[in-house]
Amino acid sequence: MNETTLFYLSDLFGVAVFAITGALMAGRKSMDIFGVLVVAFVTALGGGTLRDVILGRHPVSWIGDETYLTVVTLAALGTVLWVKMTRPIHELGLQVADAFGLAVFTVIGTQVALAHEVPTSAAVIFGVMTGVAGGVIRDMICNDIPLIFHKELYATPCILGSLTYIGLQPLALPSYIEVLGAMAVVLAVRLGAIFFHWQLPRFHLLDRDEQQDL
Amino acid sequence: MNETTLFYLSDLFGVAVFAITGALMAGRKSMDIFGVLVVAFVTALGGGTLRDVILGRHPVSWIGDETYLTVVTLAALGTVLWVKMTRPIHELGLQVADAFGLAVFTVIGTQVALAHEVPTSAAVIFGVMTGVAGGVIRDMICNDIPLIFHKELYATPCILGSLTYIGLQPLALPSYIEVLGAMAVVLAVRLGAIFFHWQLPRFHLLDRDEQQDL
Amino acid sequence: MNETTLFYLSDLFGVAVFAITGALMAGRKSMDIFGVLVVAFVTALGGGTLRDVILGRHPVSWIGDETYLTVVTLAALGTVLWVKMTRPIHELGLQVADAFGLAVFTVIGTQVALAHEVPTSAAVIFGVMTGVAGGVIRDMICNDIPLIFHKELYATPCILGSLTYIGLQPLALPSYIEVLGAMAVVLAVRLGAIFFHWQLPRFHLLDRDEQQDL
C-alpha cells in the first residue's frame, strides 16, 4: 500500500467515525433522518473543508470525489439502524469514537498542510483545526458545550500528535509508521483524558465583576 | 427573460426575503439599526458566500455586484419602517418568509453547483447549504435554537427540492419551469411542516448517562 | 516608516491585543494552556482569515508569515503569566482591550479590501468583518452573548471608522494620518459606548407569540 492510498483510506476512516459521532449527537437531539444526515455531514467533512478553504486547495475533497459523501451517508444510516436494532449507546462510546476521529484527522490535516509547504507552526494549526473543527461545529449546532472546552484534554492531544508527526519527518521512516505513531500519541493522550481524567493546570480568571454576579 | 436574468432576479428576491427575516430576528433581540443591518447581511448573504468560498468561485456575488448590498440595506430599512408604522409581526410571518427564501436559495445553490460541474450528490449539498446556512448563522448569533433543528421538516424540503431540480434537468424544460417546479416542492413541504406540523419519524437516542442526568 | 510597514505593525498590534482578549476569555472559562492558545488564535486571526478567504487572497496572513503565530503565542502566554503574577483583570479591561483591537482591525480590513479593488460598500463590510468576526467567534465558542449584540454600540464604531478611512482617501493625506484618524473614530465611539453607555435608538419587535411565551 503506497502513501497516497494510506492517507486516502485513513481519511475515509476518519470521515466514517465522525459521521457516526454526528449521527449519535443528532439522535440525542431527536432529529429526523435528514437532520441526522446534515449533522453527520458537517461533523465528518467540516474540519477538512475549513482546512482546504483556508489553504486555497480546490476542489475540496468531497466535491472532487463522491466516495466521501457515500461514506457519510452509509455511516449515518448504519448508525441509525444499529442503534434501533440493538441497545442505546453510552456517552462514553461517543467520546471514544470521537477520539479515533480526532487522531486520524489531526495527522491528515498536518500532512496535507506540510504537502502544501506551509511553515511548521502553521502545519500544527491545520492539524488541530482538521481534528477539532467538525466536532466543534457539531457541538455548537446541537447547542452542547463543545467537547474541546470540557475539563479534560482535547486540543492538547492534537497538538502533541501533530508535533510527533512533524518530528518524525526527518527520520524518513515508512509513512505508515509516522502516521500510526502520531495517531497513537493523540489516542493515548485523549483516552487518558477520557478514562483517567488527565488534566493540565488550568488558567482560572475570576474578575471582580464576575464575583458580583455570583 | 433569459436564464441568467431569471436566476439573477430570483437570487435578489431570496436576498431580500432573508434580509427581512434577519432584520425581524434582530428586532426581536432589540438591536440598533447597525446591528439590524449586520444580521440582515449575514442572513441574506451568508449561505451564498459559504457556497462560493467552498466552490472556489471568486469574486463572491456581493463583492462583484453592489446590487446585493443595496437590496439588503433597503430590505432591512424597509422592514424596520414597516414594523414601526404598522403592527407587530407574528412568529408565523417570520417562518413563512423564511420558507420563501429557503425555496429560492436551495434552487439557486443547486444550479450554481451544477454549473460548476460538481457531482450530483455534491450539488444537493450545495443546494441545502445555500438554503439553510444564512438562517442557521442568523439563529446562532441571535442565540435561538436554529429553525433547522426544530421538530418540523426543514432540511428535508431543501433536499427534495434540490433533487427535483436535478431530476428535471434531462427533460430540457424551459428554465423557469425547472426553477418554479423545484421551488414549489420546497415551499409545499416546508409550508406543510409549518401549518400542519408534518414530521418524519425521528431518531431518538436516550443514552444511559442522559437518563441519570434527568 | 513606509505604508506597508505601518500596516504590518498595526496588524501585529491588533493580533496581540485580540490574542490577549481571547486568553482572558479562556481564563474566565478556566481552560488549560492549550485551550487558551486555541481561543487566542481564533480570536486574533479569525477575522483576518475570514476576510482573506472571502476575498480569495492566498496565502492567508499567518500561513505566509510565521510572525503572526509567534505574536499570538507570546501574547497569550504573557497574559497568563501577567494575570498569575498580579491581580485579576476587570471586565472593563477586557472591553477596552477589545476596543483597541476593533479599531486596528477595522481599518486594516477596509484597507486590504480597497487594495483588492472591491466596491466601496463591500470595503465597509470587510472592515466590519475583520474587526468583529474574531470577537464574535471568541464569544460564541465561550458561550457568551457576543459583545456585538450587547446594548452598547459595537458594529456602529466599525462602520463609522471604515467610512472615515474611505472618506479620507481622496485627500491624499499621509497613510499614518488616515489610519490614526479612522482608528480614533472607532475608539472614540466604542469607548463612549463602554464608559457612557452611548446607544442608538433600538428596533424592538415583540410579536404576539412572544407575549404569550412570557
Side-chain angles (χ1 to χ4, degrees), chain A residues 31-39, chain B residues 98 102 106 124-125 127-129 131-133 136 146-163 185-186 189-190 193 200 202:
Chain A
M31 295 187 190
D32 64 33
I33 186 63
F34 290 112
V36 170
L37 284 175
V38 168
V39 178
Chain B
D98 191 271
L102 206 62
T106 299
V124 177
I125 304 277
V128 177
M129 180 193 295
V132 309
V136 169
L147 274 176
I148 195 174
F149 300 127
H150 282 202
K151 288 216 166 51
E152 293 90 11
L153 306 175
Y154 196 89
T156 309
C158 299
I159 293 175
L160 297 179
S162 184
L163 289 173
V185 170
V186 181
V189 180
R190 179 66 192 138
L200 285 176
R202 306 182 78 72

Side-chain angles (χ1 to χ4, degrees), chain B residues 8 12 15 41 45 59-74, chain C residues 114 117-126 163 166:
Chain B
Y8 184 60
L12 291 179
V15 165
F41 172 81
L45 299 173
V60 167
S61 62
W62 53 271
I63 299 177
D65 176 359
E66 289 193 88
T67 313
Y68 287 91
L69 294 179
T70 308
V71 168
V72 170
T73 308
L74 293 179
Chain C
L114 289 178
E117 309 196 336
V118 309
T120 305
S121 59
V124 177
I125 304 276
F126 280 107
L163 289 173
I166 291 168

Side-chain angles (χ1 to χ4, degrees), chain B residues 6-24 36-49 51-52 57 60-63 65-79 97-109 112 130-131 134-135 138 183, chain C residues 125:
Chain B
L6 175 69
F7 279 111
Y8 184 60
L9 293 180
S10 306
D11 204 12
L12 291 179
F13 173 75
V15 165
V17 169
F18 267 126
I20 291 171
T21 72
L24 291 175
V36 170
L37 284 175
V38 168
V39 178
F41 172 81
V42 169
T43 309
L45 299 173
T49 303
R51 175 199 65 214
D52 288 353
R57 187 167 173 262
V60 167
S61 62
W62 53 271
I63 299 177
D65 176 359
E66 289 193 88
T67 313
Y68 287 91
L69 294 179
T70 308
V71 168
V72 170
T73 308
L74 293 179
L77 297 181
T79 305
D98 191 271
F100 272 91
L102 206 62
V104 173
F105 277 3
T106 299
V107 174
I108 304 240
V112 166
T130 311
R138 172 196 66 207
M183 279 183 57
Chain C
I125 304 276

Side-chain angles (χ1 to χ4, degrees), chain C residues 136-169:
Chain C
V136 169
I137 303 172
R138 172 197 66 207
D139 297 345
M140 283 175 69
I141 62 182
C142 292
N143 244 349
D144 259 42
I145 299 167
L147 274 176
I148 194 175
F149 301 127
H150 283 202
K151 288 219 166 49
E152 294 89 12
L153 305 175
Y154 197 89
T156 309
C158 298
I159 292 174
L160 297 178
S162 184
L163 289 173
T164 303
Y165 185 79
I166 291 168
L168 291 176
Q169 294 301 306

Side-chain angles (χ1 to χ4, degrees), chain C residues 28-50:
Chain C
R28 294 174 61 186
K29 300 289 163 179
S30 302
M31 295 186 189
D32 64 33
I33 187 63
F34 290 112
V36 169
L37 284 175
V38 168
V39 178
F41 171 81
V42 169
T43 309
L45 299 173
T49 302
L50 185 64

Side-chain angles (χ1 to χ4, degrees), chain A:
Chain A
M1 183 158 71
N2 67 18
E3 196 176 333
T4 312
T5 314
L6 175 70
F7 279 111
Y8 183 60
L9 293 180
S10 307
D11 204 12
L12 291 179
F13 173 76
V15 166
V17 169
F18 267 126
I20 291 170
T21 72
L24 291 174
M25 180 65 82
R28 294 175 61 187
K29 299 290 163 181
S30 302
M31 295 187 190
D32 64 33
I33 186 63
F34 290 112
V36 170
L37 284 175
V38 168
V39 178
F41 171 82
V42 169
T43 309
L45 299 173
T49 302
L50 185 64
R51 175 199 64 215
D52 288 353
V53 163
I54 293 180
L55 278 173
R57 186 167 174 262
H58 293 282
V60 167
S61 62
W62 53 272
I63 299 177
D65 176 0
E66 288 192 271
T67 313
Y68 287 92
L69 295 179
T70 308
V71 168
V72 170
T73 307
L74 292 179
L77 297 181
T79 304
V80 174
L81 287 177
W82 193 83
V83 168
K84 285 211 177 290
M85 296 189 321
T86 65
R87 65 203 174 72
I89 285 175
H90 279 258
E91 170 69 21
L92 207 57
L94 183 56
Q95 292 206 1
V96 170
D98 191 271
F100 272 90
L102 206 62
V104 173
F105 277 3
T106 299
V107 175
I108 304 240
T110 309
Q111 191 270 338
V112 166
L114 290 178
H116 249 252
E117 308 196 337
V118 310
T120 305
S121 59
V124 177
I125 304 276
F126 281 106
V128 177
M129 181 193 295
T130 311
V132 310
V136 169
I137 304 173
R138 171 198 65 207
D139 297 346
M140 283 175 71
I141 60 181
C142 292
N143 245 349
D144 259 42
I145 300 167
L147 273 177
I148 195 174
F149 301 127
H150 283 201
K151 289 217 166 49
E152 294 89 11
L153 305 175
Y154 196 89
T156 309
C158 298
I159 292 174
L160 297 178
S162 185
L163 289 173
T164 303
Y165 185 79
I166 292 168
L168 291 176
Q169 294 300 307
L171 305 186
L173 299 167
S175 290
Y176 71 93
I177 294 187
E178 295 169 352
V179 169
L180 292 178
M183 278 183 58
V185 170
V186 181
L187 259 181
V189 180
R190 179 66 191 138
L191 292 178
I194 293 172
F195 289 103
F196 309 117
H197 305 287
W198 289 357
Q199 295 191 26
L200 285 175
R202 305 182 78 73
F203 172 43
H204 185 60
L205 177 60
L206 184 68
D207 63 22
R208 216 182 290 172
D209 300 6
E210 226 174 310
Q211 286 172 320
Q212 289 174 344
D213 288 353
L214 297 176

